Amino acid sequence: MKIMVAIKRVIDYAVKIRVKPDKSGVVTQNVKMSMNPFCEIALEEALRIRESGLASEVVAVTMGPSQCLDTLRTGLAMGADRGIHVDSTSALHPLHVAKILRNLVQIEKPSLIILGKQAIDDDCNQTGQMVAGLLNWPQGTFASKVVLDKEKEEVTVDREVDDGIETVQLKLPAVITTDLRLNQPRYATLPNIMKAKSKPIKKFTPQELNVEIKSDLEIVEVTEPPKRKAGVMVSSVDELIEKLKNEAKVI
Amino acid sequence: MVNRNCRATLRLVTLINRQGHPHPPLSSSPSGHISHSYIILPFSIAFVFLTVLCFYSGTGIDACWKQLQRNNVHGEHKIVSFFSPLASSLKTRQWGVNIQSRCYGSASVLVQRNPKFSKLNDEDVRYFEGILGAKNVIQDDEKLITANTDWMRKYKGSSKLLLQPRTTDQVSEILKYCNFRCLAVVPQGGNTGLVGGSVPVFDEVVVSLSAMSKIISFDKVSGILVCEAGCILENIISFLDNEGFIMPLDLGAKGSCQIGGNVSTNAGGLRLLRYGSLHGNVLGIEAVLADGTVLDMLKTLRKDNTGYDLKHLFIGSEGSLGIVTKKLLQEARRKLGEILSAFEFLDSNAMNLVLNHLEGARNPLPTSLHNFYVLIETTGSDESSDKQKLEAFLLGSMENELISDGALAQDINQASSFWLLREGIPEALMRAGAVYKYDLSIPVEKMYNLVEEMRSRLGNDANVVGYGHLGDGNLHLNVSTPQYDDKILSQIEPFVYEWTSKHHGSISAEHGLGLMKANKIFYSKSPETVKVMTSIKKLLDPNHILNPYKVLPCSSIS
């Protein structure tokens, strides 16, 4: 059974984000980039499923300019067997990514697609759902536990929803998106880094996959959120009530 | 040091001398005429002009007089020489034919010979010959001229004696005698200084360190070089080049300057921007004080915080506090050196402690148990090239079986969790119970031996943990016990200090002495050094009101 994992190269989680002076986006020059944390968790889950013997191969897919190859190599160093790089310099929105993934699925034919629930740069939380919709596959999003049953060709997913935990059972092939508490991703160890150098990476372009990158979205402006205002110290309960009534207008 | 052609200039000097000029290239001619005839009759004309000049500049005529008279007494071809030449003299020097320099009076430079200094006599010369052998006691005029004149030909003394000791003991004997006889001394190295600091002003005895030019040892593991003060900088640089190391000091005068002089003047040079000044690069010094005491502050350790750091007094003291006879230098490593920013180690006991006591600590290599872990950090301006370098280094080390396994942090979060393992050790130790902490500088090859010996001494009574700054040779030895127990303490101390002292380590690499090691300084510093520290303490705090009972032993301060 083959598992496909989609990983994205984003600004490192620990870096302080700054908005560009012309408000067209965020500063990405000379800023540390690394794999999206949710994608790391997705890859880790795929590797654990393979190590338990239920899958034979894990393929890591990334899309973007050539720098994405660094992230792909990290994925291979963590343990993925093969890599696919879809080379594109234009901005890729979730719908484009979903269409590309759908066309890749027709080539690779995996039984399970695992993605991170969202990317920390755009926080869209759309790609996994769109892929499932385009492929007409069942989806288990915000997964906090994944249990695969190979004979029955089913996967049981515990989902973290607002009300608590929801458990769904999906028939394979299926799409899973991972949430934070699913697992803790492993470190890339040196022997694996060495092996990763010889693992194959196949290259595609969106044109080869018959996907047209035409953007329906235009980013008008990017601004910082308003600075948190300092709190006000009140000296008595009466003053508090008066402020709540007149200034905050909540009473 | 601006101009690189010192060697060319030195060649020129010998050229001139060989051409048979009876004079050194300096004369007190105010008009700057370049004519041979002028030199033949120096005194009468010079004398006249001198007085005129002095009169105009309104300064002491007496000094000039006295100087002139002195020179008349000593030889026909010695001329008054402390007037500053103009830049034209530098140009004329290039011609190599008739060298002359324009001089004019300079008020700031007029000095009088201090009458309390004795004058050299034959008995002194014979005594020096007894210590050094006749070959190293030089009274030959030609050699004295070179020793008496500075590189810029600006300053010229009139010393009658040049001594060339070959060992520190000889330097000590010389100084002891000169101190007793009250003979002034000028220590001299390559004589490339530009402020007249290395030549005598009057008749001081010149002690040249040129004969002490041995490279004593070089440790390739730690990059520490021990050499004598008379080593020429260029020789040191080529020696290190062969070993694959870089000297942190480089100057234009490297062909002739000697490292003793560099240290004594805290020379800056070309590489200071990156490697910092000599204060940071000189690890230890052996110096001889004015009364002949030899201060051995040579410690081949990167870190040593026991007592006052006296070597810094000598770095930059320009020979006025002591004669530097040997020094230790830190060299820069070539392979990973320029991007390496941290090199720490911890043993398996430390790793277990952290994993057990700290939440959020994650073992990066869970599949196997290892005896030692090393944490390496690089910092640089180009992430991808640094990453390649580090990966290449690590993979190479794995192939050469220097390391058995490793994990590379892929993002900042992973990097912080790696650091938590190392930085969290002290906290984990505190949570585990009582801890006896020792901070020792030990040669890298022997560093872990102490931990193992300690383990065998204490057996099951305590958990002996070793970790520290491997890159600096600094071991943090910690003995963890459930409670503080004097019996265990007696097993640890003074064994730890004696062991360290036996292996020429420092009992305090970075933590300092404080109260805990106040009386233990003798394990790492010689009694003479402690004596000097005590005198400095007495000088600056005569009533000992500042932080008493700490740092220096109570026995010496009383």
Side-chain angles (χ1 to χ4, degrees):
Chain A
M1 188 186 92
K2 208 192 286 190
I3 306 181
M4 186 185 278
V5 180
I7 56 186
K8 186 177 183 186
R9 177 175 181 261
V10 297
I11 297 181
D12 191 301
Y13 161 66
V15 165
K16 185 155 191 326
I17 309 286
R18 279 173 305 142
V19 176
K20 276 200 260 208
D22 60 0
K23 295 198 181 166
S24 62
V26 150
V27 174
T28 48
Q29 284 270 48
N30 290 330
V31 161
K32 172 113 180 67
M33 309 284 275
S34 45
M35 201 192 289
N36 184 31
F38 296 108
C39 300
E40 274 181 11
I41 295 173
L43 184 52
E44 173 66 24
E45 194 58 31
L47 294 172
R48 287 190 191 187
I49 294 176
R50 185 193 66 193
E51 277 159 14
S52 66
L54 299 168
S56 56
E57 202 184 17
V58 173
V59 181
V61 180
T62 194
M63 307 178 197
S66 57
Q67 292 95 319
C68 290
L69 283 170
D70 292 337
T71 320
L72 196 53
R73 288 261 169 238
T74 306
L76 293 173
M78 279 172 72
D81 300 295
R82 272 192 297 124
I84 295 179
H85 173 220
V86 180
D87 198 355
S88 162
T89 43
S90 37
L92 293 170
H93 294 304
L95 188 55
H96 305 137
V97 175
K99 287 184 182 167
I100 294 175
L101 278 176
R102 178 211 33 210
N103 291 359
L104 275 173
V105 161
Q106 281 150 10
I107 300 174
E108 291 284 330
K109 300 199 190 358
S111 314
L112 196 56
I113 302 181
I114 312 184
L115 307 97
K117 75 172 180 188
Q118 65 197 59
I120 58 173
D121 54 0
D122 54 19
D123 285 319
C124 283
N125 194 348
Q126 297 166 3
T127 312
Q129 290 87 333
M130 284 181 180
V131 169
L134 288 171
L135 286 169
N136 216 7
W137 286 9
Q139 55 182 281
T141 52
F142 316 114
S144 65
K145 193 159 104 177
V146 172
V147 178
L148 191 61
D149 191 336
K150 201 162 174 201
E151 287 112 50
K152 290 205 216 140
E153 298 236 335
E154 278 172 357
V155 57
T156 312
V157 176
D158 281 5
R159 302 179 60 225
E160 277 186 30
V161 293
D162 292 342
D163 307 352
I165 309 256
E166 180 189 68
T167 311
V168 292
Q169 205 162 52
L170 315 168
K171 268 200 148 50
L172 293 181
V175 174
I176 296 179
T177 67
T178 61
D179 206 330
L180 203 55
R181 274 162 278 273
L182 179 56
N183 59 42
Q184 206 172 28
R186 61 191 64 183
Y187 294 114
T189 57
L190 289 180
N192 287 339
I193 295 177
M194 250 195 313
K195 283 187 226 155
K197 290 195 195 292
S198 50
K199 287 183 184 167
I201 293 183
K202 219 181 334 188
K203 203 146 139 207
F204 288 100
T205 59
Q207 291 81 349
E208 285 170 24
L209 296 169
N210 297 322
V211 177
E212 197 190 335
I213 311 292
K214 192 179 55 162
S215 187
D216 301 327
L217 293 171
E218 181 199 332
I219 293 179
V220 175
E221 188 189 62
V222 175
T223 52
E224 276 186 21
K227 293 243 181 321
R228 222 184 87 133
K229 279 201 291 262
V232 176
M233 299 284 272
V234 293
S235 50
S236 70
V237 180
D238 293 327
E239 201 186 326
L240 173 65
I241 294 176
E242 188 258 324
K243 278 199 191 292
L244 286 173
K245 209 183 279 190
N246 300 332
E247 286 185 27
K249 296 198 174 33
V250 292
I251 301 182
Chain B
M1 312 283 162
V2 164
N3 105 47
R4 279 178 174 272
N5 52 21
C6 55
R7 236 177 295 165
T9 319
L10 282 170
R11 253 185 267 130
L12 209 57
V13 173
T14 44
L15 190 69
I16 296 159
N17 285 341
R18 268 187 258 124
Q19 279 179 359
H21 268 274
H23 315 282
L26 214 69
S27 76
S28 48
S29 144
S31 66
H33 277 188
I34 300 166
S35 73
H36 202 80
S37 57
Y38 191 91
I39 299 176
I40 295 176
L41 309 159
F43 292 107
S44 41
I45 303 174
F47 172 68
V48 167
F49 276 96
L50 264 172
T51 48
V52 166
L53 282 166
C54 291
F55 176 73
Y56 279 142
S57 65
T59 52
I61 301 170
D62 292 345
C64 310
W65 256 115
K66 283 207 184 85
Q67 184 68 7
L68 196 56
Q69 289 215 315
R70 265 189 85 66
N71 282 332
N72 286 347
V73 165
H74 285 230
E76 291 87 37
H77 45 267
K78 290 271 170 82
I79 305 175
V80 178
S81 61
F82 53 64
F83 295 98
S84 16
L86 285 180
S88 57
S89 71
L90 290 164
K91 278 191 236 126
T92 56
R93 204 180 297 153
Q94 311 298 320
W95 298 14
V97 183
N98 288 323
I99 310 295
Q100 198 118 126
S101 42
R102 201 178 301 176
C103 310
Y104 49 83
S106 162
S108 56
V109 195
L110 285 172
V111 186
Q112 288 204 0
R113 185 188 185 280
N114 191 333
K116 95 165 163 85
F117 293 133
S118 317
K119 293 222 209 346
L120 199 63
N121 58 37
D122 285 330
E123 204 187 295
D124 301 324
V125 178
R126 263 182 308 209
Y127 183 83
F128 290 132
E129 279 175 358
I131 307 172
L132 304 173
K135 205 170 50 135
N136 295 323
V137 175
I138 296 167
Q139 294 181 283
D140 170 59
D141 287 331
E142 270 203 38
K143 294 212 183 109
L144 278 173
I145 288 168
T146 326
N148 268 312
T149 316
D150 80 320
W151 186 76
M152 302 226 328
R153 315 298 185 51
K154 200 167 144 178
Y155 300 100
K156 191 179 160 294
S158 38
S159 168
K160 296 265 75 188
L161 190 62
L162 170 63
L163 298 176
Q164 288 191 326
R166 287 180 184 270
T167 67
T168 309
D169 285 328
Q170 285 178 353
V171 177
S172 170
E173 293 285 313
I174 293 172
L175 286 181
K176 212 172 6 180
Y177 183 77
C178 292
N179 195 23
F180 162 69
R181 274 273 290 137
C182 210
L183 285 168
V185 166
V186 172
Q188 189 177 88
N191 197 7
T192 54
L194 301 173
V195 292
S198 55
V199 289
V201 184
F202 301 109
D203 61 342
E204 299 88 282
V205 174
V206 179
V207 177
S208 168
L209 280 282
S210 309
M212 297 177 66
S213 56
K214 267 201 313 264
I215 293 181
I216 297 176
S217 70
F218 180 60
D219 180 351
K220 281 191 242 216
V221 173
S222 51
I224 296 184
L225 173 79
V226 185
C227 60
E228 292 187 323
C231 295
I232 294 182
L233 186 58
E234 192 160 46
N235 293 348
I236 298 180
I237 291 175
S238 33
F239 168 77
L240 289 174
D241 229 9
N242 274 343
E243 308 283 341
F245 281 72
I246 295 182
M247 179 78 174
L249 177 70
D250 191 4
L251 3 132
K254 60 185 161 216
S256 346
C257 69
Q258 293 169 13
I259 190 74
N262 293 139
V263 169
S264 297
T265 55
N266 190 20
L270 309 166
R271 297 215 178 109
L272 190 126
L273 178 67
R274 173 139 164 211
Y275 299 108
S277 83
L278 281 175
H279 279 289
N281 285 305
V282 174
L283 299 177
I285 280 183
E286 183 196 73
V288 183
L289 297 179
D291 63 358
T293 316
V294 177
L295 273 189
D296 185 353
M297 298 171 291
L298 272 182
K299 266 245 161 2
T300 53
L301 301 165
R302 194 85 152 82
K303 293 157 83 164
D304 185 5
N305 269 0
T306 48
Y308 308 146
D309 202 353
L310 293 178
K311 67 170 190 277
H312 291 295
L313 278 177
F314 294 95
I315 301 177
S317 68
E318 303 184 42
S320 61
L321 291 179
I323 299 188
V324 172
T325 45
K326 287 197 190 82
K327 66 219 26 73
L328 278 164
L329 287 156
Q330 192 71 24
E331 315 308 326
R333 247 149 292 202
R334 281 206 186 176
K335 220 188 226 172
L336 206 51
E338 71 269 22
I339 52 171
L340 192 64
S341 57
F343 200 94
E344 304 286 310
F345 95 102
L346 41 143
D347 65 5
S348 53
N349 286 10
M351 179 63 100
N352 289 336
L353 257 175
V354 173
L355 292 173
N356 290 337
H357 290 271
L358 283 184
E359 312 101 36
R362 235 181 101 195
N363 189 345
L365 303 165
T367 48
S368 40
L369 226 69
H370 302 272
N371 278 334
F372 300 105
Y373 297 86
V374 171
L375 177 63
I376 300 178
E377 182 193 66
T378 65
T379 309
S381 54
D382 187 349
E383 194 203 333
S384 46
S385 88
D386 285 358
K387 194 163 183 186
Q388 267 177 358
K389 237 184 246 180
L390 185 58
E391 267 185 28
F393 167 71
L394 291 172
L395 293 176
S397 310
M398 265 200 88
E399 279 166 24
N400 295 332
E401 296 190 350
L402 289 170
I403 57 181
S404 54
D405 202 353
L408 193 57
Q410 299 300 318
D411 54 38
I412 301 182
N413 264 340
Q414 289 188 352
S416 336
S417 64
F418 282 3
W419 271 115
L420 177 66
L421 293 170
R422 164 63 184 87
E423 289 177 327
I425 300 177
E427 202 189 317
L429 281 163
M430 292 301 295
R431 294 202 192 168
V435 58
Y436 294 100
K437 249 186 216 302
Y438 297 94
D439 160 48
L440 312 156
S441 234
I442 301 174
V444 174
E445 319 83 61
K446 307 200 193 105
M447 216 153 108
Y448 207 68
N449 298 358
L450 178 57
V451 182
E452 288 170 343
E453 278 197 44
M454 211 56 186
R455 229 170 247 155
S456 54
R457 264 176 91 88
L458 294 172
N460 284 332
D461 296 334
N463 181 13
V464 180
V465 171
Y467 64 96
H469 314 281
L470 186 59
D472 308 335
N474 183 190
L475 171 73
H476 288 303
L477 174 71
N478 281 256
V479 179
S480 173
T481 57
Q483 279 162 346
Y484 286 109
D485 184 352
D486 279 342
K487 210 158 43 87
I488 294 188
L489 181 59
S490 63
Q491 284 277 69
I492 304 175
E493 292 187 27
F495 171 73
V496 153
Y497 300 134
E498 282 166 2
W499 195 99
T500 310
S501 183
K502 197 165 56 149
H503 291 87
H504 306 291
S506 164
I507 56 164
S508 173
E510 49 182 13
H511 293 176
L513 296 169
L515 181 60
M516 179 185 170
K517 303 178 216 179
N519 288 310
K520 314 265 189 313
I521 194 176
F522 293 112
Y523 286 106
S524 296
K525 287 268 144 65
S526 68
E528 299 91 24
T529 322
V530 179
K531 205 160 80 100
V532 175
M533 289 183 204
T534 323
S535 342
I536 295 177
K537 166 80 176 164
K538 273 206 193 86
L539 173 72
L540 295 177
D541 177 19
N543 291 327
H544 300 301
I545 60 168
L546 293 175
N547 226 2
Y549 320 115
K550 305 189 192 133
V551 186
L552 294 177
C554 308
S555 48
S556 30
I557 303 181
S558 34

